[in-house]
Structure formats: structure tokens, C-alpha cells
Amino acid sequence: MKFRDGMWLAAEGKTVQYAEDIYTTTEREDGKAIKLLCPTRHIYSRGDVLNLSTLSIDIEAQFDGVISLEVCHFTGALRHGPNFDLYPDGYPECNPSISKSSKGTTISSGSLSATVHPDQHTFDIRFHATDGLRELTSLLNRSVGLAYSPAISNPKQVEDLRDLKHYVFTQTELGVGESIHGLGERFGAFNKVGQNIEVWNEDGGTSSDQAYKNVSFWMSSRGYGVFIDTPDKIDLEIGSERCCRLQTSVESQRLKWYLIYGPTPKEVLTKYSILTGKPGKVPAWSFGLWLSTSFTTNYDEETVTHFLEEMKERSIPVEVFHFDCFWLRSFHWCDFVFDSKYFPDPAGQMSRLKSANLVNKISVWTNPYVGQASPVFAYAAEKGYLLKRENGDVWQWDLWQTGMGLVDFTNPEAVKWFEGCLDSLYDLGVNCIKTDFGERIPTKGVKWFDTKVDPQRMHNFYAFIYNKIVYETLQRRYGKNQAVLFARTACAGTQRFPLCWGGDCESTPAALAESIRGGLSIGLSSFSSWSCDIGGFEGNPPPWIYKRWVAFGLLCSHSRLHGSNSYRVPWLIDDDDRSSGNCTEVLRTFVRLKRRLMPYLYSQATQSFRMGWPTSLRACALEFPDDSTAWYLDRQFMVGESILAAPVFTEAGDVEFYLPAGKWTSFWDGKTAQGPGWRRETHGFNTLPLYVREGTVLTLGKENDVDGEGFGYDWLEGGEVRLYCVKEGDKATVVDKEGNEVGTLVVGKDGGIEGIEEALKGDWGFWRISELDKAQ
């Protein structure tokens, strides 16, 4: 939202007032914050203090490297919920200091400081490294303010705010060449400078500026990030109102954000995850292939069994089979009752599929709505489990499901009922839940059971409540680290309830690129696990798109075949083509590759859960923050810290990608290349650019699935250790299938590997790039 018309004028229909002075600077009694009183005009005489607005600014030390800033106009405004669940694992130690010098008043929180200019008439708040080596950003002249819309001509109009919108905003400085990233799963340009972004969950697919997963956190290439502490609608003008500033505005009396200093982007993410929660740990088996019925396709027990038998016959192990919407009766979504016409014995069916080693786990689709055609609607409405309008009616509309209502998760009894419905699915043999929808949450004319919550703030926050409830039921049934969701909507903190997927994409090269940008972007909000619909959701992918997407999708942390109105089993994509490079062969190749990578991949994932990092897709900038090019790479990604992957977007196989500084080795043929620099290659369907970083000790497991053991196999029993241009001291952590650290492989002085006996068992082969060293 723009408050100005160019540089000099206020925007039409808006009154804008800026904090002009810092009239007083006061230290809070506990020594952890300073409070600024900021009039909206310069104060030169006593008479100047009359008939004007003031803004109060609280700057508070949170923990090492983190300082919060809150701007408030009318402090008497109620603080309505819901609020983000911050510091879920407890508050870190904080030892702040406040000092005064000729440069002004400085509050320090470990490595990060904020300095307020000593001159009352100079509005200047600078955020910088405490050691003075790095300037991060500043709030300068006319960078903090309030606005009314429509414009007011008389201050008395503020007597009644019902017909006025009131905004608070800040404008932080953007440095020359600075780039901005994150803000959840966004499918547009990776660098957000020049964009207007609304942090507001919408069901908009992957090809617009709308997003399913809006996270109010952005990361700067200058070594800091900002978390905006409100689930309310946030409007960001990122170098788009003033080219040199990032404007954050909310329709509220308050705006609070946390500035997080790394200095590396990995450290920024770790501190952000302390603030909003660590990403949840997912089990190793969940990294295997998920196969879906797809959305509107016709299927029953015979169809499902046939698909799984064919996959087994073609040596493509399926870890999880997913039943999408039509396991339920039409118009009854979501009342948790299997359609008996197509699934007369759901518990028996699931048991038969598992006992035949056709699949290891079962997933079903759900959403938080109830269609009025189901008798469950009348029951839930009578009990008060559904959201109501202000006049007491159940809130309903016909978008998606006829006359559907929305489960009111602010009602504890509704939560218990919903949990009981989920438990009935687990009793049948369901192991995972796809938590679809949850974006279109109404804000006007509705009344939640908890009257203390603001409907506007509930819109984004509903995603947190919804996924938390389902995730915790899975934890209670299957164990703390065995719970797995497939969620579409999210907000800040939802990374605690993994995992999520990218939503409704088309079956095109452009949509493949959109999905990659979405995965990269949400990874910069501490979501360790992410997936997408392989082949695209909408439409029928031509075989070449399907195969290129398979190569990408099996290098994501989680991999699912899912579509809208057509099946995604490979033999139906290419009419069961048996020539070299057919869909079945390509899918088998990349499922086997991912399974072999599990010792490395799960070790990287375990570290990511602990540190708040993405596993894959991991933006190259996280590993190479000092490489300016890395901050613009949105067609490639890191799989953990050591493997770089570049998806192919053409049928012919030509691809351009960038290797950062260092020596890189092709995973496929051992040929080496030197970075930094751009490369062009051509790939068939069974490969893509996959390069291993120098200094990598890569542990690979077995290639073939044995009798349905899946991806949670014991990879410590034997495999291969590859050494890529290693030197003394290079190492790799080895974890078991539960994620427990069992040892470390370290390169010794003579180039040998130490720690093998402690970490590995069975038969292992060794491979060194120094023996081949096929330089290109």
C-alpha cells in the first residue's frame, strides 16, 4: 500500500503523519529496553506540543543478535488475539546493555545494537553490529508514521474510527545492491525488491502473487532478517514506494517487528527458529515415494491395488499411498466417513495393502470444512462447533462445498470432537493426514467462540491452529517423531508441524520453475521439509515434462505423485512406452537415487531440524552468502550442504546453471569443474546437473528396496563411501534411521577414513575423486 504519490505528495485519499522528533529517550526499569516519544512535528516551543499525534517506539533486547521494535499510536487500544506462539522452547538468556555517548543512546543485545541519534530533531535509529563492523539498516527521516484512509480534514473525525482505516508503518533503509527474500512460499521473482507483497493467505495456485503460505519473515542479503509479529494482514512495499526503503504497514494501532542479525543467513534462520519454533522432525520413511489417487479421478479398491501391484512389478517401491478427496462421499466433505460404495472395507483394504508389501503407510485427505449434505453438519452446528455470523447463524457459503461450514478451533469442545474424528481414521489404519485448504477464512461479520480473538487476525493464524491440532493427534497415536502432515496452508510457526507441499501448479515448464521458487522461498522461513505435485497438478503432463519433474521432485525432501483429473502412474503418462528413457525407467532411476542418498540426506535433515534450515530445497545463498550471484539463483538449489542440483526445463535437455567457488564433481561420471562460473550442459531424462562440493565425505546406502523395507531401512549395514577432493579434517556425521548420531567419518593425514568401525557395519566400498579426477 502506497501512502505517497511520488516523493513529495501524500497519496490521494490518505492523511499521513510522520514521527519527526525523538523528543525523549527513556530507559525502561528492567534495563532491557528504551522508550522513545516521537511527535509528528518538530517541537521548538511549549505551544508546539499541542494538537498533534505522537508515536511511541519501544526498542527491546530479546536475546543475542535479536532486537525488537514496536511502534504504537493509541496505547489504549486493546491487544486482541490470536498471537504467534513465540519462544515455544523457552526464552534464551539475554544480557543487554544500554549506554550513552556522543553518538547517541545505544541498546545492545549481544552481537546486535541499535543506536538512537542524540539530536532531538534528527530522527535516526541505526541497527548495526555491536563490534561496529557492519551497518545493517536504519530508520531515518519520515520512516515511521501513521495514516488514515480516507483522508481526514479535521482532527475531530478521529472521534469515531468505524469509518476510518488507521495504519501504522515503518520504512527501513535498503542498501545499494541489497536483495530481500522469503515471506513464505512465494512463486514470483526470488528477489522481492521492487515488489508489493501482501502477507495474506489465499487459495490462488502457483502462478500469481497470491500465496497459500504467507510467513511474516524476510531475509536480507546483508546478513539480517526481520520477523513481523502479527498474524494480521501486512502490506509490504519493498523498494516499490521509495526505491531505497522497505515499507511495512498494518491496519492497526501497533506494529512490532524483530530484527535478527546473523551475520550469516544460516545463523539468521537458527535465531528465527528459536523465536518461532524449530521445524518438526519427520521420520526417514516419509522421504520415500508417495503415490496419490489424484483428485477427481475414478478409483476404488481394485484401482488402488492395481496401481500398487504394477509399481511393485516395475521395481518402484511406494512408501505411502494417498487417498484424495473422493474417499469421502460427494457433498459430504469432510465428515470422515469412507464412501462405502467404493470402499466397503477400508480397514481391511489398508491391512491387505500393507501385509502384501505393496505400501508401508496410508494417507488420506481432509479439510476443516463440513458440507451441509452430511448429517455431521447438523450435529456440529447444533453443538456449536462451527464458526458463526454475528447474528448467530452458522457461517456458510457454497464455494468449494455446498453450504459448507468452518470448524471453529477456538472452541475447545470442537477441537475434542475434531480430534476424535481423526482418531477414528487412525483406528482404520491411516498413518498420515493431508491437511488441505484453510486459506479462505472469513473476516467480516463473523464471531468466533473465543470472543477475545480478532477475525482479521484469525485469517492467517487459522493455519497454525488447524495444522497443530492434526499434527498433535498423530504424535499421540504414533509417537513424537513419527507424525507427518501434507499441509497446503501455513503462517509463521507452522514449520513446527511438517510437512507442506506447494499447492496447485500447472503441468508446464513455467510451473516447474514456479515450484522451485516457492520451495526456495519457504525454506528461508525455517521450513525444513517441502514437496510439490510431481508432473504438475492441473492438466495432463506430456511425458517429457513428467520426466523432468520426476528428476526434480525426487531431490526434494519429500516426493509425491499427484494430479487433478488424471492419474500420475508413469505407464499411463507415456502409454507404457518401453523405449530407453521412458517414464517408468526415469521414475525408477530417481527413486533408487534418493534411496541411496538416504544416509547423507537424513543426516542433513537431522541437522536442519535442529538448526532451523531447509533440507532441500536449500537456496545456494545459504551455503555461499558472500557470492553475490548466489542470491539471485532461483533455478537451482542445494540438497543439504554438499550437493548442488539444477533441474532441466526443456525436452531437449539443455540447461544452464552456476557453480560457486571451489571444485565440483559430477555425481554421475566423476568429472570435475571449477567454480565460480556458469555452465551449459545437455542431459537425457535419467540425469540432471548434480554436482558434489569439494571436501565432501558422501555416504551412500543400498540401491534396491528389499521386500518392502522402504526408505527407513538400516543404511548402516553396507554401501559406499565417496570422497570428493577431500583434505585432512573433512568429515561427515553418520546418523541411523531414527536420526541418532552414531559416529563421524573423518579424513586422516594419510587420506584414510577414521571412525568407520564406530559408525558403519557390513560391507562398504570406497571411491575417491582423486583417483579419477577427470577434469572438464
Side-chain angles (χ1 to χ4, degrees):
M1 174 177 294
K2 292 181 171 63
F3 295 110
R4 298 201 67 79
D5 179 358
M7 190 165 180
W8 313 116
L9 305 176
E12 183 177 355
K14 293 184 175 64
T15 295
V16 188
Q17 301 176 19
Y18 298 95
E20 299 283 6
D21 268 12
I22 300 178
Y23 187 70
T24 60
T25 301
T26 308
E27 181 176 342
R28 204 169 69 187
E29 290 182 359
D30 62 4
K32 293 184 177 180
I34 54 177
K35 301 175 72 67
L36 313 180
L37 178 62
C38 303
T40 54
R41 66 168 172 250
H42 293 301
I43 307 300
Y44 295 106
S45 67
R46 287 186 171 182
D48 292 337
V49 304
L50 303 176
N51 300 316
L52 83 164
S53 302
T54 62
L55 291 158
S56 62
I57 301 177
D58 291 355
I59 305 174
E60 182 175 0
Q62 295 288 332
F63 63 95
D64 181 20
V66 182
I67 289 177
S68 66
L69 180 142
E70 182 175 45
V71 180
C72 184
H73 182 202
F74 291 144
T75 59
L78 294 175
R79 293 180 179 266
H80 290 287
N83 299 298
F84 288 128
D85 182 18
L86 301 185
Y87 299 111
D89 298 317
Y91 287 84
E93 183 179 352
C94 181
N95 297 301
S97 65
I98 298 175
S99 61
K100 293 186 178 181
S101 68
S102 60
K103 294 182 179 180
T105 302
T106 297
I107 179 170
S108 299
S109 185
S111 60
L112 176 64
S113 294
T115 297
V116 180
H117 199 281
D119 177 16
Q120 169 189 327
H121 302 307
T122 302
F123 193 95
D124 186 328
I125 304 170
R126 296 183 181 269
F127 295 89
H128 55 91
T130 300
D131 59 15
L133 297 179
R134 186 179 295 195
E135 292 285 336
L136 302 177
T137 189
S138 304
L139 292 167
L140 301 180
N141 177 50
R142 295 196 162 189
S143 61
V144 177
L146 62 99
Y148 292 105
S149 178
I152 62 173
S153 56
N154 185 322
K156 292 175 67 176
Q157 291 176 254
V158 180
E159 174 191 13
D160 184 357
L161 289 172
R162 288 176 296 179
D163 294 326
L164 288 173
K165 291 186 176 182
H166 178 282
Y167 301 91
V168 177
F169 62 86
T170 61
Q171 293 180 345
T172 49
E173 292 292 304
L174 290 172
V176 176
E178 182 175 0
S179 58
I180 301 297
H181 309 268
L183 292 167
E185 182 189 57
R186 314 207 77 86
F187 306 104
F190 185 48
N191 176 17
K192 305 299 184 266
V193 173
Q195 298 182 41
N196 167 242
I197 289 179
E198 292 184 344
V199 180
W200 191 248
N201 287 351
E202 293 282 6
D203 174 7
T206 70
S207 60
S208 75
D209 59 355
Q210 295 182 358
Y212 302 105
K213 306 169 191 67
N214 285 266
V215 179
S216 52
F217 171 76
W218 52 265
M219 179 179 286
S220 165
S221 60
R222 298 187 69 173
Y224 71 97
V226 171
F227 167 62
I228 307 159
D229 184 16
T230 177
D232 211 337
K233 188 175 188 177
I234 302 166
D235 189 284
L236 296 164
E237 295 285 354
I238 307 175
S240 48
E241 176 170 290
R242 289 197 64 181
C243 299
C244 59
R245 291 183 175 181
L246 191 160
Q247 177 176 279
T248 303
S249 64
V250 292
E251 186 184 345
S252 176
Q253 293 291 338
R254 297 181 180 87
L255 170 59
K256 184 175 184 178
W257 43 256
Y258 294 71
L259 193 141
I260 304 169
Y261 176 49
T264 68
K266 280 185 170 181
E267 290 171 292
V268 172
L269 280 186
T270 297
K271 293 174 183 178
Y272 169 74
S273 69
I274 292 171
L275 186 60
T276 62
K278 298 290 183 182
K281 181 179 180 181
V282 291
W285 57 258
S286 70
F287 285 67
L289 181 65
W290 295 51
L291 175 63
S292 167
T293 60
S294 293
F295 172 29
T296 61
T297 54
N298 293 317
Y299 65 93
D300 53 16
E301 178 171 355
E302 182 180 358
T303 308
V304 171
T305 303
H306 169 70
F307 282 165
L308 290 171
E309 288 175 341
E310 278 290 313
M311 293 289 275
K312 185 174 184 178
E313 178 68 22
R314 294 162 188 262
S315 301
I316 304 173
V318 175
E319 191 77 46
V320 183
F321 190 83
H322 170 71
F323 291 81
D324 215 56
C325 309
F326 281 95
W327 67 272
L328 296 152
R329 295 165 292 178
S330 297
F331 295 110
H332 285 223
W333 303 348
C334 175
D335 64 3
F336 300 94
V337 179
F338 269 86
D339 188 335
S340 59
K341 179 180 178 180
Y342 299 100
F343 304 102
D345 180 21
Q349 178 185 0
M350 295 181 210
S351 177
R352 288 187 288 273
L353 293 175
K354 293 174 182 177
S355 61
N357 288 328
L358 295 177
V359 68
N360 291 324
K361 307 290 181 181
I362 297 293
S363 168
V364 297
W365 175 95
T366 64
N367 65 200
Y369 314 139
V370 184
Q372 69 179 14
S374 172
V376 172
F377 177 91
Y379 172 81
E382 179 185 356
K383 292 291 185 180
Y385 297 162
L386 303 178
L387 177 64
K388 293 182 179 180
R389 299 186 187 274
E390 290 177 338
N391 66 359
D393 292 345
V394 172
W395 178 87
Q396 293 178 264
W397 68 7
D398 292 328
L399 184 60
W400 181 241
Q401 289 291 287
T402 300
M404 72 172 215
L406 175 68
V407 179
D408 185 346
F409 289 129
T410 72
N411 182 344
E413 292 303 314
V415 172
K416 290 180 183 178
W417 166 73
F418 196 78
E419 290 174 337
C421 294
L422 292 167
D423 284 333
S424 68
L425 295 178
Y426 308 148
D427 291 341
L428 295 175
V430 172
N431 310 101
C432 325
I433 299 292
K434 175 180 173 180
T435 50
D436 205 354
F437 287 85
E439 300 93 1
R440 292 171 176 159
I441 307 303
T443 61
K444 298 177 181 178
V446 295
K447 184 177 181 180
W448 293 86
F449 178 84
D450 182 352
T451 58
K452 297 186 298 296
V453 304
D454 181 347
Q456 184 86 356
R457 294 169 71 90
M458 275 297 295
H459 176 88
N460 283 349
F461 194 75
Y462 191 88
F464 182 90
I465 303 175
Y466 171 32
N467 287 299
K468 181 177 187 288
I469 289 168
V470 179
Y471 187 72
E472 290 180 347
T473 65
L474 286 163
Q475 286 185 313
R476 287 194 292 268
R477 176 59 64 99
Y478 295 113
K480 181 180 179 182
N481 296 322
Q482 294 295 312
V484 182
L485 304 180
F486 240 83
R488 193 174 74 173
T489 188
C491 62
T494 317
Q495 70 271 10
R496 293 161 52 186
F497 320 122
L499 57 104
C500 60
W501 98 100
D504 299 349
C505 49
E506 297 174 317
S507 300
T508 64
L512 173 55
E514 291 162 6
S515 294
I516 294 169
R517 293 194 296 268
L520 291 171
S521 183
I522 199 166
L524 296 182
S525 299
S526 283
F527 283 73
S528 286
S529 306
W530 182 85
S531 185
C532 63
D533 290 341
I534 294 176
F537 176 74
E538 298 287 353
N540 299 304
W544 77 266
I545 284 284
Y546 180 88
K547 290 182 283 189
R548 295 301 186 195
W549 210 310
V550 161
F552 159 63
L554 268 298
L555 290 171
C556 299
S557 72
H558 290 75
S559 308
R560 184 182 69 160
L561 295 168
H562 179 67
S564 178
N565 56 6
S566 61
Y567 304 114
R568 290 294 183 264
V569 289
W571 59 91
L572 295 182
I573 300 294
D574 63 3
D575 295 325
D576 204 11
D577 178 19
R578 298 302 177 106
S579 62
S580 178
N582 62 69
C583 288
T584 296
E585 177 188 307
V586 171
L587 180 59
R588 181 169 54 241
T589 294
F590 283 98
V591 170
R592 287 181 174 180
L593 170 64
K594 188 175 185 182
R595 195 171 185 278
R596 287 200 74 197
L597 286 171
M598 278 303 292
Y600 164 77
L601 192 57
Y602 204 57
S603 175
Q604 292 293 303
T606 301
Q607 181 188 46
S608 296
F609 305 146
R610 185 175 67 253
M611 302 303 290
W613 303 339
T615 303
S616 176
L617 287 51
R618 181 180 294 182
C620 291
L622 287 180
E623 295 297 330
F624 304 94
D626 296 327
D627 186 331
S628 298
T629 301
W631 289 97
Y632 294 87
L633 299 175
D634 61 4
R635 299 193 305 274
Q636 61 187 71
F637 56 93
M638 299 295 294
V639 181
E641 64 187 4
S642 297
I643 298 177
L644 183 149
V648 181
F649 299 95
T650 66
E651 184 173 8
D654 51 299
V655 55
E656 184 180 32
F657 60 99
Y658 177 82
L659 294 177
K663 200 170 188 178
W664 295 85
T665 304
S666 171
F667 178 87
W668 308 109
D669 58 17
K671 293 181 180 180
T672 61
Q674 187 70 39
W678 288 90
R679 291 179 61 81
R680 288 184 175 89
E681 294 181 358
T682 301
H683 283 260
F685 291 113
N686 283 310
T687 62
L688 80 169
L690 197 64
Y691 278 81
V692 185
R693 195 175 182 175
E694 67 178 319
T696 297
V697 178
L698 183 64
T699 307
L700 300 173
K702 300 173 183 177
E703 183 173 342
N704 297 319
D705 182 42
V706 178
D707 196 27
E709 64 181 355
F711 272 57
Y713 67 101
D714 186 359
W715 49 69
L716 304 180
E717 286 288 350
E720 182 181 27
V721 177
R722 293 188 178 185
L723 308 178
Y724 290 90
C725 305
V726 296
K727 62 182 183 305
E728 181 184 355
D730 287 333
K731 60 186 178 181
T733 300
V734 179
V735 302
D736 63 18
K737 64 181 181 179
E738 305 301 327
N740 302 310
E741 186 174 331
V742 297
T744 304
L745 305 182
V746 183
V747 179
K749 290 183 179 180
D750 60 354
I753 302 296
E754 301 170 359
I756 296 175
E757 294 78 9
E758 294 80 9
L760 305 177
K761 49 192 176 181
D763 296 326
W764 289 84
F766 294 88
W767 180 95
R768 297 174 185 270
I769 185 57
S770 57
E771 296 171 356
L772 300 176
D773 203 13
K774 302 174 182 177
Q776 289 190 85

